[in-house]
Amino acid sequence: MFDHTRMTRRYTRGFAAAVVAAVTLILAANAGTARAADPAPEQRTAQSAGEPLSW
């Protein structure tokens, strides 16, 4: 017959592994994708670059 403390340790390790797996999945789901610091970079035009317009 199995020793009682051996079974308790086995269930404790299994429960701890399940908790670690759940926390890892929750943190990974909340991580999301990285966002750019400036979502719309300034577009350089001839006027904003200080160059004269050629007509």
Side-chain angles (χ1 to χ4, degrees):
M1 194 163 168
F2 290 110
D3 187 17
H4 187 282
T5 56
R6 191 178 299 172
M7 291 298 292
T8 303
R9 287 180 185 171
R10 182 179 295 174
Y11 284 122
T12 303
R13 282 196 312 256
F15 181 74
V19 169
V20 169
V23 169
T24 303
L25 289 173
I26 291 170
L27 290 176
N30 288 335
T33 57
R35 294 184 180 149
D38 188 12
E42 180 184 336
Q43 294 180 350
R44 291 181 54 106
T45 61
Q47 287 180 328
S48 67
E51 300 170 1
L53 293 174
S54 60
W55 294 95

